[in-house]
Amino acid sequence: MNIDELRSQWQSLDVDPDRAALHEAVRRIARRDAESLRSRYFKLCLRMIGMSAFGIAVSVPFGRTAPTLMWCSFAFFILMAVFHIIQAVMAHNLDFGRLSVRRSIEAVCDLERMRVIKRSVGIALGVPLLVYMCIVVSDAYGPYTVYGCVCGAVIGLVIGLIINHNATTLLRRMKEELGDEQ
């Protein structure tokens, strides 16, 4: 293909932007309703930091009856908050406009890798903590509270799966937009 053929193909392109869609996009940007995938992922990480802080606050009442449970919970939620902070910083530092496509894809893959590490550590430490918590709560408040613990664990599992799906979808869409079809 020579330059004249390329020029004629370029000039034959008929791009007629939809004015209503263009004005709507401008309004969304002006109202700050248009969010990038990076900023949505960053906000998800910030919400998870808040949930870790909430977990620490919920553990405080066990200080008198089960100090070991309280300190183990503190350690778990602080560790998870640190992981979420690291991911939030990584997501915040993503600047697709300045990075090359290759480096952008690598940065998104680094985010995915960090999520796998965080999830593995969270499950490995969270399940024993949850079992210990059920044992302590049932000893302190009676055997029927085990049912409440199991219901809470199931609800937490469902919420965790939804959050995991949302985060995975955001990262996958980032990679797709960067052109990494794996």
Side-chain angles (χ1 to χ4, degrees):
M1 178 177 283
N2 64 25
I3 190 73
D4 292 327
E5 290 174 359
L6 185 61
R7 184 178 302 138
S8 66
Q9 286 180 357
W10 178 259
Q11 290 174 349
S12 68
L13 288 177
D14 185 27
V15 179
D16 186 29
D18 182 15
R19 296 289 180 199
L22 180 64
H23 288 298
E24 178 61 27
V26 169
R27 276 193 295 266
R28 286 183 63 209
I29 291 170
R31 287 184 307 204
R32 299 189 190 272
D33 287 344
E35 280 189 309
S36 67
L37 294 172
R38 182 199 63 82
S39 66
R40 288 175 55 195
Y41 189 78
F42 176 73
K43 287 181 181 179
L44 178 68
C45 292
L46 292 181
R47 284 193 300 269
M48 293 298 98
I49 294 168
M51 291 304 295
S52 295
F54 179 73
I56 291 171
V58 169
S59 302
V60 171
F62 293 109
R64 288 187 179 225
T65 58
T68 305
L69 175 63
M70 182 189 75
W71 289 111
C72 289
S73 296
F74 277 8
F76 174 77
F77 286 116
I78 288 171
L79 179 65
M80 295 313 293
V82 168
F83 276 129
H84 292 303
I85 289 169
I86 291 170
Q87 274 204 302
V89 169
M90 289 171 69
H92 184 71
N93 289 339
L94 277 178
D95 187 3
F96 295 128
R98 290 188 177 179
L99 296 174
S100 67
V101 175
R102 179 184 174 110
R103 181 60 196 128
S104 296
I105 292 171
E106 288 173 358
V108 173
C109 289
D110 289 344
L111 275 173
E112 285 180 328
R113 198 171 303 113
M114 180 58 126
R115 277 194 64 247
V116 169
I117 292 168
K118 177 189 67 179
R119 191 173 53 222
S120 300
V121 169
I123 291 171
L125 297 177
V127 170
L129 179 64
L130 189 60
V131 169
Y132 180 61
M133 187 179 294
C134 287
I135 292 169
V136 168
V137 169
S138 67
D139 284 345
Y141 300 107
Y144 294 111
T145 57
V146 172
Y147 300 121
C149 291
V150 170
C151 288
V154 169
I155 291 170
L157 176 67
V158 170
I159 291 170
L161 290 173
I162 291 170
I163 291 170
N164 183 54
H165 174 73
N166 290 342
T168 302
T169 302
L170 287 172
L171 290 173
R172 187 185 66 225
R173 286 180 56 199
M174 275 188 224
K175 285 174 67 176
E176 286 173 359
E177 285 184 2
L178 291 169
D180 185 35
E181 294 96 15
Q182 291 183 351

